[in-house]
Amino acid sequence: MPEGILCNRKPINTKEDLHALLNDKSGKQYYQEMKELNVDQEALWATIQKSLKSRLKTWLEICAHCGLCSDACFLYLANNKDPKQVPSYKIQSTLGEIVRRKGRVDNEFMRMVMDTAWSKCTCCNRCGQYCPFGIDMGVMFGYLRGLCFSQGFVPWEMKIGSGMHRVYRAQMDVTTEDWVDTCQWMAEEYGEDWPGLEIPIDKENADIIYTVNAREPKHYPEDIGEAAILFHLAGEDWTVPSVGWEETSLAMFAGDWEGCKMQVESVYDAMERLKPRRMVVTECGHAYRATVVEGPYWTGRKSGQPPVETLHYVEWVAEVLRTGKLKIDPAKKIKEPVTLQDSCNYIRNAGLANFTREIMSHIAEDFREMKPNREHNFCCGGGGGFNGIGCYRTERNIGLKVKRDQILATGAKLVISPCHNCWDAIRDLEEIYKIGIRWSFLKPLLIEMAIVPEHLKPQEEAEEA
Amino acid sequence: MYAFVTGPLAWLAFGIFFIGLIVRAVWYIRGLDWRADRVAYTEHFGAGMKGAFRSILHWIVPFGSHSWRFYPGMTILFFVFHFCLLFTPIFLGAHNMLLMERWGFSLPAISDTTGDLLTVILLVAAVFLILRRIALPEVRILTTAYDYLLLAITVAPFVTGFLAFHHVGDYHFWLITHILSGELWLIAVPFTKLSHALLFFLSRAQLGMDYGIKRGGMKGRGLAW
Ligand code: SF4
Ligand code: SF4
C-alpha cells in the first residue's frame, strides 16, 4: 500500500480528516497502515539536497566520534548509559545513514528513525553544549523530524497536534468562541471576588497582549483567571486577542514547518492588529520557544524578532516584583525548602535563567538549586512532545528518573515549574515514582503571597475588615 | 627522490592543504543560511561575533568549558595530543633548518631532545586515544575503521620521523617515508574530517552566533559554556 487512509504523507487540513484520525483510538489503524507506507525516496533525497546546508552537513561529517556528548544526554543516563543512547550514535545511525544512503531507505528503517527521533531525543539541546565542535543533536533531530513528517512517519499524537494547529490555530480543538467564552466566564467567576477584575478582549494599544497555551482554555481555565488576578493586582493595562491567542506549537514537535508558520503568523497578526506595546506569554516553555525564538524565522522575519517586544511570564513576574507593582507579603513567603525546574526551552535556549532566580529571591526563603541547573539543567523528561506520545510511555517514564533524582537530591518537597511540559512531567513522575513531592506553577503561589492593595481587596475580606 | 618529494610534491601537498582549507571555509560560510539555520547572522552581527568569540575561547582553553571540566582525563589527553601535534613540526630544529635553506628564514627552533620528547608524548597520547576507543562502550559504539585510519595518517609522520632521526635501520628510507607521510597528512586534511583543524573554529563560531543572537545572548545572559 503506497499511502494509508489515515497514515500518509499529507498533512491534516480539514476537520473531517482530523476527526477520522481522532476516532482511531490510540492510532491502532494508523500505526498498522504505517507498516505498509512506502518511502518516497526521490522526494526524500530531493528535500535533503535542498535543505541540508553546510551547518548540518559539517556536523555530520566532522563528528570526531569522541563520545563527549554521552553524559550530556539525560536519556543516556536514565537508560544506564546504554551506548545506543549516545547522542552522536542516535543521529549518525538515523540522519547520518539516510544521507550516506542518499535517501534510499525502506519502511522499516524509517519506522526505526521515527522511534529514535521521538523517543530517544526530546530536542533539549544539552548535548550541543558539551560537544567540542558544538554539534547540536537537538537541532539535527528537529531537522530529522521534519524529514519524517514529510514522509508520513510521525507518531499519531503528533500528526493530530499538527492537524489541530492547521485547522484550529491551536494545539487543541478550541475555537474562537470557546476561547472568548472561557475568558468571559473566568472574568465573571473571579470578578465576584476581585472587584473590577476584567479580561479585556481585543483591546487596541494595550500595554500587554497576553497569550496562552490551549490547554488552559480547554482543561485549566482557572489558569487564565489567575493570570487575570495578577495583572489586576499589578495594575496592568492588558488584553487578550480573540484570534491569535495560542502560542504553543505541537507542529514544531511534529516537524511540520508549514504548520508552524501558520500558527505563529496568527499570533503575529494579532500583535499587528491590536498594536500592544509588548507581549507576555503564559508559563509555558515551548510556546515561548515557538513564538519568540524560532517563529520569526519560520515566517521569514529578517530581524529574527517578533513584531513587538516579547516577554515570557517569568520575565514579567520578575519585572513586577522588581518594580514593586506586585508586592509579596514577607510573612507569606515560602518557608519550606523549594526547588525550581529550568525549562530547556526558555532557559538553555533563550537565556532567561536570571529572571527565575530573581523571582525565587522574592518568594522563597529556602530556595535549593537542582544540580546541574540553569542552562545546564536536564530536560524534565517529557519535552519535545515525549509526554504526549502514548506508544513511548515506557521510554518516557524511564527518562523521568534523572529529574526524579535531581529533585530528591535537593531535599525539597515543592517544585516550582513555570512550564506546562515540565509541570506535566513532574506530576507524572510523582504519580509513577511516588517521591512525595508537590509541584506548582508560579501563578497560584503568587496569588497566595501577594499583598492586595486596599481598594482591590476581595469583597468579603473588605467587608469583614 | 629526495629532491622530488621535498620539491614539486611538497609544493603540491602544501598547495592542496591551503587551497583546500580555503575552499572549505568559503563553502562553509556560503552554505550558512539565516532562514534554514534560524540565526539572523547578518542582522545582529555584533552580538553574533561576541557569541562566536566566547564560544571559541571557552573551548580552546583547557578546562575552559563545562564539558572539559566534566572529563578531566580526556581533556588532558586532548590538549596534550593537539599541542604536540601542532607545536612539534612547526618548531622542530630540522624543519626550520630546511626552511632556512629553502626560504631563507626560520622560526625559533626547539632542541632535538625537546622534539624527541614531544614526539614520544604524542605517541603515548595516541595510544591512550586508541585504548579509550576500545575500552569505553560509549566511544566504541561510535568508532569506525575510518577513525583509526585518520589517526594512523596523523601519527605516521611522527613515527617515521622518529625512526629516521634515530637512524633505526635505513635512514634514507625512513626519511622519504617521513616526508611522504607528512604530505599525505597535508593532503588528507581538507578532504577528510581532519578538516576539523579549521572547521572546529567555524562550527564553534556558528553555534556561538546561534546562542549569541537567538538563544538568549541578546536578552538574558549568553550561554555559560
Ligand atoms: S561530542 Fe561531538 S564530536 Fe564527540 S561524538 Fe559527540 S557529537 Fe561527535
Ligand atoms: S538534544 Fe537532549 S535528548 Fe536529544 S540527544 Fe541531545 S541531550 Fe539527548
CSV table of all heavy atoms in Angstrom, one decimal, chain A residues 61-113:
chain,number,residue,atom,x,y,z
A,61,GLU,N,29.6,15.4,9.3
A,61,GLU,CA,30.9,15.0,8.7
A,61,GLU,C,32.0,15.0,9.8
A,61,GLU,O,32.8,14.0,9.9
A,61,GLU,CB,31.3,15.8,7.5
A,61,GLU,CG,32.6,15.3,6.9
A,61,GLU,CD,33.3,16.3,6.0
A,61,GLU,OE1,32.6,17.3,5.6
A,61,GLU,OE2,34.5,16.1,5.7
A,62,ILE,N,32.1,16.1,10.5
A,62,ILE,CA,33.3,16.2,11.4
A,62,ILE,C,33.2,15.6,12.8
A,62,ILE,O,34.2,15.6,13.5
A,62,ILE,CB,33.8,17.7,11.5
A,62,ILE,CG1,32.8,18.5,12.3
A,62,ILE,CG2,34.2,18.3,10.2
A,62,ILE,CD1,33.3,19.9,12.7
A,63,CYS,N,32.1,15.1,13.1
A,63,CYS,CA,31.9,14.4,14.4
A,63,CYS,C,33.1,13.5,14.6
A,63,CYS,O,33.4,12.6,13.8
A,63,CYS,CB,30.6,13.6,14.5
A,63,CYS,SG,30.6,12.5,15.9
A,64,ALA,N,33.9,13.7,15.7
A,64,ALA,CA,35.1,13.0,15.9
A,64,ALA,C,34.9,11.6,16.6
A,64,ALA,O,35.8,10.9,16.9
A,64,ALA,CB,36.0,13.8,16.8
A,65,HIS,N,33.6,11.3,16.8
A,65,HIS,CA,33.3,10.0,17.4
A,65,HIS,C,34.0,9.9,18.8
A,65,HIS,O,34.5,8.9,19.1
A,65,HIS,CB,33.7,8.8,16.5
A,65,HIS,CG,32.9,8.8,15.2
A,65,HIS,ND1,33.3,8.1,14.2
A,65,HIS,CD2,31.8,9.5,14.8
A,65,HIS,CE1,32.5,8.3,13.1
A,65,HIS,NE2,31.6,9.1,13.5
A,66,CYS,N,34.0,11.0,19.5
A,66,CYS,CA,34.8,11.0,20.8
A,66,CYS,C,33.9,10.7,22.0
A,66,CYS,O,34.4,10.4,23.0
A,66,CYS,CB,35.4,12.4,21.0
A,66,CYS,SG,34.2,13.7,21.3
A,67,GLY,N,32.6,10.8,21.8
A,67,GLY,CA,31.7,10.4,22.9
A,67,GLY,C,31.5,11.4,24.0
A,67,GLY,O,30.9,11.1,25.0
A,68,LEU,N,32.1,12.6,23.8
A,68,LEU,CA,32.0,13.6,24.9
A,68,LEU,C,30.5,14.1,25.1
A,68,LEU,O,30.2,14.7,26.1
A,68,LEU,CB,32.9,14.8,24.7
A,68,LEU,CG,34.4,14.5,24.7
A,68,LEU,CD1,35.2,15.8,24.7
A,68,LEU,CD2,34.8,13.6,25.9
A,69,CYS,N,29.7,13.8,24.1
A,69,CYS,CA,28.3,14.2,24.3
A,69,CYS,C,27.5,13.2,25.1
A,69,CYS,O,26.4,13.5,25.5
A,69,CYS,CB,27.7,14.4,22.9
A,69,CYS,SG,27.9,13.0,21.8
A,70,SER,N,28.0,12.1,25.4
A,70,SER,CA,27.2,11.0,26.0
A,70,SER,C,26.6,11.4,27.3
A,70,SER,O,25.3,11.4,27.5
A,70,SER,CB,28.1,9.8,26.4
A,70,SER,OG,29.0,9.6,25.4
A,71,ASP,N,27.4,11.8,28.3
A,71,ASP,CA,26.9,12.1,29.6
A,71,ASP,C,26.0,13.4,29.6
A,71,ASP,O,25.4,13.7,30.7
A,71,ASP,CB,28.0,12.3,30.6
A,71,ASP,CG,28.7,10.9,30.9
A,71,ASP,OD1,28.1,10.1,31.6
A,71,ASP,OD2,29.7,10.7,30.3
A,72,ALA,N,26.0,14.1,28.5
A,72,ALA,CA,25.1,15.3,28.5
A,72,ALA,C,23.7,14.9,28.3
A,72,ALA,O,22.8,15.7,28.7
A,72,ALA,CB,25.5,16.2,27.3
A,73,CYS,N,23.4,13.7,27.8
A,73,CYS,CA,22.1,13.3,27.5
A,73,CYS,C,21.4,12.6,28.6
A,73,CYS,O,21.8,11.6,29.1
A,73,CYS,CB,22.1,12.5,26.2
A,73,CYS,SG,20.4,12.0,25.7
A,74,PHE,N,20.3,13.2,29.1
A,74,PHE,CA,19.6,12.6,30.2
A,74,PHE,C,19.0,11.2,29.8
A,74,PHE,O,18.9,10.3,30.7
A,74,PHE,CB,18.4,13.5,30.7
A,74,PHE,CG,17.2,13.4,29.9
A,74,PHE,CD1,16.1,12.7,30.3
A,74,PHE,CD2,17.1,14.2,28.7
A,74,PHE,CE1,14.9,12.6,29.5
A,74,PHE,CE2,16.0,14.1,27.9
A,74,PHE,CZ,14.9,13.4,28.3
A,75,LEU,N,18.8,11.0,28.6
A,75,LEU,CA,18.2,9.6,28.2
A,75,LEU,C,19.3,8.6,28.2
A,75,LEU,O,19.1,7.4,28.6
A,75,LEU,CB,17.6,9.7,26.8
A,75,LEU,CG,16.2,10.3,26.9
A,75,LEU,CD1,15.7,10.7,25.5
A,75,LEU,CD2,15.2,9.4,27.5
A,76,TYR,N,20.5,9.0,27.9
A,76,TYR,CA,21.7,8.1,28.1
A,76,TYR,C,21.8,7.7,29.6
A,76,TYR,O,22.0,6.5,29.9
A,76,TYR,CB,22.9,8.8,27.6
A,76,TYR,CG,24.3,8.1,27.8
A,76,TYR,CD1,24.6,7.0,27.1
A,76,TYR,CD2,25.1,8.6,28.8
A,76,TYR,CE1,25.9,6.4,27.3
A,76,TYR,CE2,26.3,8.0,29.0
A,76,TYR,CZ,26.7,6.9,28.3
A,76,TYR,OH,27.9,6.3,28.5
A,77,LEU,N,21.8,8.7,30.4
A,77,LEU,CA,21.9,8.5,31.9
A,77,LEU,C,20.8,7.6,32.4
A,77,LEU,O,21.0,6.7,33.2
A,77,LEU,CB,22.0,9.8,32.6
A,77,LEU,CG,23.2,10.7,32.2
A,77,LEU,CD1,23.1,12.0,32.9
A,77,LEU,CD2,24.5,10.0,32.5
A,78,ALA,N,19.6,8.0,32.0
A,78,ALA,CA,18.4,7.3,32.5
A,78,ALA,C,18.4,5.8,32.1
A,78,ALA,O,17.8,5.0,32.8
A,78,ALA,CB,17.1,8.0,32.1
A,79,ASN,N,19.0,5.5,31.0
A,79,ASN,CA,19.0,4.1,30.5
A,79,ASN,C,20.3,3.4,30.8
A,79,ASN,O,20.8,2.7,30.0
A,79,ASN,CB,18.7,4.1,29.0
A,79,ASN,CG,17.3,4.4,28.6
A,79,ASN,OD1,16.4,3.6,28.7
A,79,ASN,ND2,17.0,5.7,28.3
A,80,ASN,N,20.8,3.7,32.0
A,80,ASN,CA,22.0,3.0,32.5
A,80,ASN,C,23.2,3.1,31.5
A,80,ASN,O,23.9,2.1,31.2
A,80,ASN,CB,21.8,1.6,32.8
A,80,ASN,CG,20.7,1.4,33.9
A,80,ASN,OD1,20.7,2.2,34.8
A,80,ASN,ND2,19.8,0.5,33.7
A,81,LYS,N,23.4,4.3,30.9
A,81,LYS,CA,24.5,4.5,30.0
A,81,LYS,C,24.5,3.5,28.8
A,81,LYS,O,25.5,3.0,28.4
A,81,LYS,CB,25.8,4.5,30.7
A,81,LYS,CG,25.8,5.5,31.9
A,81,LYS,CD,27.2,5.9,32.2
A,81,LYS,CE,27.2,7.1,33.2
A,81,LYS,NZ,28.5,7.8,33.2
A,82,ASP,N,23.3,3.2,28.3
A,82,ASP,CA,23.2,2.4,27.1
A,82,ASP,C,23.9,3.1,25.9
A,82,ASP,O,23.5,4.2,25.6
A,82,ASP,CB,21.8,2.1,26.8
A,82,ASP,CG,21.5,1.3,25.6
A,82,ASP,OD1,22.5,1.0,24.9
A,82,ASP,OD2,20.4,1.1,25.2
A,83,PRO,N,25.0,2.5,25.4
A,83,PRO,CA,25.7,3.1,24.3
A,83,PRO,C,24.8,3.5,23.1
A,83,PRO,O,25.0,4.5,22.4
A,83,PRO,CB,26.7,2.1,23.8
A,83,PRO,CG,26.8,1.1,24.9
A,83,PRO,CD,25.5,1.1,25.7
A,84,LYS,N,23.6,2.8,23.0
A,84,LYS,CA,22.7,3.2,21.9
A,84,LYS,C,22.0,4.5,22.1
A,84,LYS,O,21.3,5.0,21.3
A,84,LYS,CB,21.7,2.0,21.7
A,84,LYS,CG,22.3,0.8,21.2
A,84,LYS,CD,21.3,0.2,20.1
A,84,LYS,CE,22.0,-0.8,19.2
A,84,LYS,NZ,22.1,-2.1,19.7
A,85,GLN,N,22.2,5.0,23.3
A,85,GLN,CA,21.6,6.3,23.7
A,85,GLN,C,22.6,7.5,23.6
A,85,GLN,O,22.3,8.6,24.0
A,85,GLN,CB,21.0,6.3,25.1
A,85,GLN,CG,19.7,5.4,25.2
A,85,GLN,CD,18.5,6.2,24.7
A,85,GLN,OE1,18.6,7.3,24.3
A,85,GLN,NE2,17.3,5.5,24.8
A,86,VAL,N,23.8,7.2,23.1
A,86,VAL,CA,24.8,8.2,22.9
A,86,VAL,C,24.3,9.2,21.8
A,86,VAL,O,23.9,8.7,20.7
A,86,VAL,CB,26.2,7.7,22.5
A,86,VAL,CG1,27.1,8.8,22.1
A,86,VAL,CG2,26.7,6.8,23.7
A,87,PRO,N,24.2,10.5,22.1
A,87,PRO,CA,23.6,11.4,21.1
A,87,PRO,C,24.2,11.2,19.7
A,87,PRO,O,23.5,11.1,18.7
A,87,PRO,CB,23.9,12.8,21.7
A,87,PRO,CG,23.9,12.6,23.1
A,87,PRO,CD,24.5,11.2,23.3
A,88,SER,N,25.5,11.2,19.6
A,88,SER,CA,26.1,11.1,18.3
A,88,SER,C,25.7,9.8,17.6
A,88,SER,O,25.4,9.8,16.4
A,88,SER,CB,27.6,11.1,18.4
A,88,SER,OG,28.2,10.7,17.2
A,89,TYR,N,25.6,8.7,18.3
A,89,TYR,CA,25.2,7.4,17.7
A,89,TYR,C,23.8,7.5,17.2
A,89,TYR,O,23.4,7.1,16.1
A,89,TYR,CB,25.3,6.3,18.8
A,89,TYR,CG,24.8,5.0,18.2
A,89,TYR,CD1,25.6,4.2,17.4
A,89,TYR,CD2,23.5,4.5,18.5
A,89,TYR,CE1,25.1,3.0,16.8
A,89,TYR,CE2,23.0,3.4,17.9
A,89,TYR,CZ,23.8,2.6,17.1
A,89,TYR,OH,23.3,1.5,16.5
A,90,LYS,N,22.9,8.2,18.0
A,90,LYS,CA,21.5,8.3,17.6
A,90,LYS,C,21.3,9.0,16.3
A,90,LYS,O,20.5,8.6,15.5
A,90,LYS,CB,20.7,8.9,18.8
A,90,LYS,CG,20.6,8.1,20.0
A,90,LYS,CD,19.7,8.7,21.1
A,90,LYS,CE,20.4,9.6,22.0
A,90,LYS,NZ,19.6,9.9,23.2
A,91,ILE,N,22.1,10.1,16.2
A,91,ILE,CA,21.9,10.9,14.9
A,91,ILE,C,22.6,10.2,13.8
A,91,ILE,O,22.2,10.2,12.6
A,91,ILE,CB,22.3,12.4,15.2
A,91,ILE,CG1,21.6,13.2,14.1
A,91,ILE,CG2,23.8,12.6,15.1
A,91,ILE,CD1,20.1,13.4,14.2
A,92,GLN,N,23.8,9.7,14.0
A,92,GLN,CA,24.6,9.1,12.9
A,92,GLN,C,23.8,7.8,12.4
A,92,GLN,O,23.9,7.6,11.2
A,92,GLN,CB,26.0,8.7,13.4
A,92,GLN,CG,26.9,9.8,13.7
A,92,GLN,CD,27.4,10.6,12.4
A,92,GLN,OE1,27.2,10.1,11.3
A,92,GLN,NE2,28.0,11.7,12.6
A,93,SER,N,23.2,7.1,13.3
A,93,SER,CA,22.5,5.9,12.8
A,93,SER,C,21.2,6.2,12.1
A,93,SER,O,20.6,5.3,11.6
A,93,SER,CB,22.4,4.9,13.9
A,93,SER,OG,21.6,5.5,15.0
A,94,THR,N,20.8,7.4,12.2
A,94,THR,CA,19.5,7.8,11.5
A,94,THR,C,19.7,8.8,10.4
A,94,THR,O,19.9,8.4,9.3
A,94,THR,CB,18.5,8.3,12.6
A,94,THR,OG1,19.2,9.4,13.3
A,94,THR,CG2,18.1,7.3,13.6
A,95,LEU,N,19.8,10.0,10.8
A,95,LEU,CA,20.0,11.0,9.7
A,95,LEU,C,21.3,10.8,9.0
A,95,LEU,O,21.4,10.8,7.7
A,95,LEU,CB,20.1,12.4,10.4
A,95,LEU,CG,20.3,13.6,9.4
A,95,LEU,CD1,19.2,13.7,8.4
A,95,LEU,CD2,20.4,14.9,10.2
A,96,GLY,N,22.4,10.4,9.7
A,96,GLY,CA,23.7,10.2,9.1
A,96,GLY,C,23.5,9.1,8.0
A,96,GLY,O,24.0,9.2,6.9
A,97,GLU,N,22.8,8.0,8.4
A,97,GLU,CA,22.6,6.9,7.5
A,97,GLU,C,21.8,7.3,6.3
A,97,GLU,O,22.1,6.9,5.1
A,97,GLU,CB,22.0,5.8,8.3
A,97,GLU,CG,22.2,4.4,7.7
A,97,GLU,CD,23.6,4.0,7.4
A,97,GLU,OE1,24.5,4.4,8.1
A,97,GLU,OE2,23.8,3.2,6.5
A,98,ILE,N,20.7,8.0,6.5
A,98,ILE,CA,19.9,8.4,5.4
A,98,ILE,C,20.7,9.2,4.4
A,98,ILE,O,20.6,9.0,3.1
A,98,ILE,CB,18.7,9.3,5.9
A,98,ILE,CG1,17.7,8.5,6.8
A,98,ILE,CG2,17.9,9.8,4.7
A,98,ILE,CD1,16.6,9.3,7.4
A,99,VAL,N,21.5,10.1,4.9
A,99,VAL,CA,22.4,10.9,4.0
A,99,VAL,C,23.4,10.1,3.2
A,99,VAL,O,23.6,10.2,2.0
A,99,VAL,CB,23.0,12.1,4.8
A,99,VAL,CG1,24.0,12.8,3.9
A,99,VAL,CG2,22.0,13.0,5.3
A,100,ARG,N,24.0,9.2,4.0
A,100,ARG,CA,25.0,8.3,3.3
A,100,ARG,C,24.4,7.4,2.3
A,100,ARG,O,24.9,7.2,1.2
A,100,ARG,CB,25.7,7.4,4.4
A,100,ARG,CG,26.9,8.0,5.1
A,100,ARG,CD,27.6,7.0,6.0
A,100,ARG,NE,26.8,6.7,7.2
A,100,ARG,CZ,26.8,7.5,8.3
A,100,ARG,NH1,27.6,8.5,8.4
A,100,ARG,NH2,26.1,7.1,9.3
A,101,ARG,N,23.1,7.0,2.5
A,101,ARG,CA,22.4,6.1,1.5
A,101,ARG,C,21.7,7.0,0.5
A,101,ARG,O,20.9,6.5,-0.3
A,101,ARG,CB,21.4,5.2,2.2
A,101,ARG,CG,22.1,4.2,3.1
A,101,ARG,CD,21.1,3.1,3.3
A,101,ARG,NE,21.3,2.5,4.6
A,101,ARG,CZ,20.3,1.7,5.2
A,101,ARG,NH1,19.2,1.5,4.7
A,101,ARG,NH2,20.6,1.2,6.4
A,102,LYS,N,21.9,8.3,0.5
A,102,LYS,CA,21.2,9.2,-0.4
A,102,LYS,C,19.7,9.0,-0.5
A,102,LYS,O,19.1,8.9,-1.5
A,102,LYS,CB,21.8,9.0,-1.8
A,102,LYS,CG,23.3,9.3,-1.9
A,102,LYS,CD,23.7,9.6,-3.4
A,102,LYS,CE,25.1,9.8,-3.6
A,102,LYS,NZ,25.9,10.5,-2.6
A,103,GLY,N,19.1,8.8,0.7
A,103,GLY,CA,17.7,8.7,0.8
A,103,GLY,C,17.1,7.3,0.5
A,103,GLY,O,15.9,7.1,0.6
A,104,ARG,N,18.0,6.4,0.1
A,104,ARG,CA,17.5,5.1,-0.3
A,104,ARG,C,17.3,4.2,1.0
A,104,ARG,O,18.1,3.3,1.3
A,104,ARG,CB,18.4,4.4,-1.3
A,104,ARG,CG,18.2,5.0,-2.7
A,104,ARG,CD,18.9,4.1,-3.8
A,104,ARG,NE,20.3,4.3,-3.8
A,104,ARG,CZ,20.9,5.3,-4.4
A,104,ARG,NH1,20.3,6.2,-5.1
A,104,ARG,NH2,22.2,5.4,-4.3
A,105,VAL,N,16.3,4.5,1.7
A,105,VAL,CA,16.0,3.7,2.9
A,105,VAL,C,14.5,3.2,2.8
A,105,VAL,O,13.7,3.7,2.1
A,105,VAL,CB,16.1,4.6,4.2
A,105,VAL,CG1,17.5,5.0,4.4
A,105,VAL,CG2,15.2,5.8,4.1
A,106,ASP,N,14.3,2.1,3.5
A,106,ASP,CA,13.0,1.5,3.4
A,106,ASP,C,12.0,1.8,4.6
A,106,ASP,O,12.4,2.5,5.5
A,106,ASP,CB,13.1,0.0,3.2
A,106,ASP,CG,13.8,-0.7,4.4
A,106,ASP,OD1,14.0,0.0,5.4
A,106,ASP,OD2,14.3,-1.9,4.2
A,107,ASN,N,10.9,1.2,4.5
A,107,ASN,CA,9.8,1.4,5.5
A,107,ASN,C,10.3,1.1,6.9
A,107,ASN,O,10.2,1.9,7.9
A,107,ASN,CB,8.6,0.6,5.2
A,107,ASN,CG,7.5,0.7,6.2
A,107,ASN,OD1,7.7,0.1,7.3
A,107,ASN,ND2,6.4,1.3,5.9
A,108,GLU,N,10.9,-0.1,7.1
A,108,GLU,CA,11.4,-0.5,8.4
A,108,GLU,C,12.4,0.5,9.0
A,108,GLU,O,12.3,0.9,10.1
A,108,GLU,CB,12.0,-1.9,8.3
A,108,GLU,CG,11.9,-2.7,9.5
A,108,GLU,CD,12.8,-3.9,9.4
A,108,GLU,OE1,12.9,-4.5,8.3
A,108,GLU,OE2,13.3,-4.3,10.5
A,109,PHE,N,13.3,0.9,8.1
A,109,PHE,CA,14.3,1.9,8.5
A,109,PHE,C,13.6,3.2,9.0
A,109,PHE,O,14.0,3.7,10.1
A,109,PHE,CB,15.3,2.2,7.4
A,109,PHE,CG,16.5,3.0,7.8
A,109,PHE,CD1,17.6,2.4,8.4
A,109,PHE,CD2,16.4,4.4,7.7
A,109,PHE,CE1,18.7,3.2,8.8
A,109,PHE,CE2,17.5,5.2,8.1
A,109,PHE,CZ,18.6,4.6,8.7
A,110,MET,N,12.7,3.7,8.2
A,110,MET,CA,12.0,4.9,8.6
A,110,MET,C,11.2,4.8,9.9
A,110,MET,O,11.2,5.8,10.7
A,110,MET,CB,11.1,5.4,7.5
A,110,MET,CG,11.8,6.0,6.3
A,110,MET,SD,12.9,7.4,6.8
A,110,MET,CE,11.8,8.7,7.1
A,111,ARG,N,10.7,3.6,10.2
A,111,ARG,CA,10.0,3.5,11.5
A,111,ARG,C,11.0,3.5,12.6
A,111,ARG,O,10.7,4.0,13.7
A,111,ARG,CB,9.1,2.2,11.5
A,111,ARG,CG,7.8,2.4,10.7
A,111,ARG,CD,6.9,1.3,10.8
A,111,ARG,NE,7.3,0.2,10.0
A,111,ARG,CZ,7.5,-1.1,10.4
A,111,ARG,NH1,7.1,-1.3,11.7
A,111,ARG,NH2,7.9,-2.0,9.7
A,112,MET,N,12.2,2.9,12.4
A,112,MET,CA,13.2,3.0,13.4
A,112,MET,C,13.6,4.4,13.6
A,112,MET,O,13.8,4.9,14.7
A,112,MET,CB,14.4,2.1,12.9
A,112,MET,CG,15.6,2.1,13.9
A,112,MET,SD,16.7,3.5,13.8
A,112,MET,CE,17.6,3.2,12.3
A,113,VAL,N,13.7,5.2,12.5
A,113,VAL,CA,14.1,6.6,12.6
A,113,VAL,C,13.1,7.4,13.4
A,113,VAL,O,13.4,8.2,14.3
A,113,VAL,CB,14.3,7.2,11.2
A,113,VAL,CG1,14.4,8.7,11.2
A,113,VAL,CG2,15.5,6.6,10.4
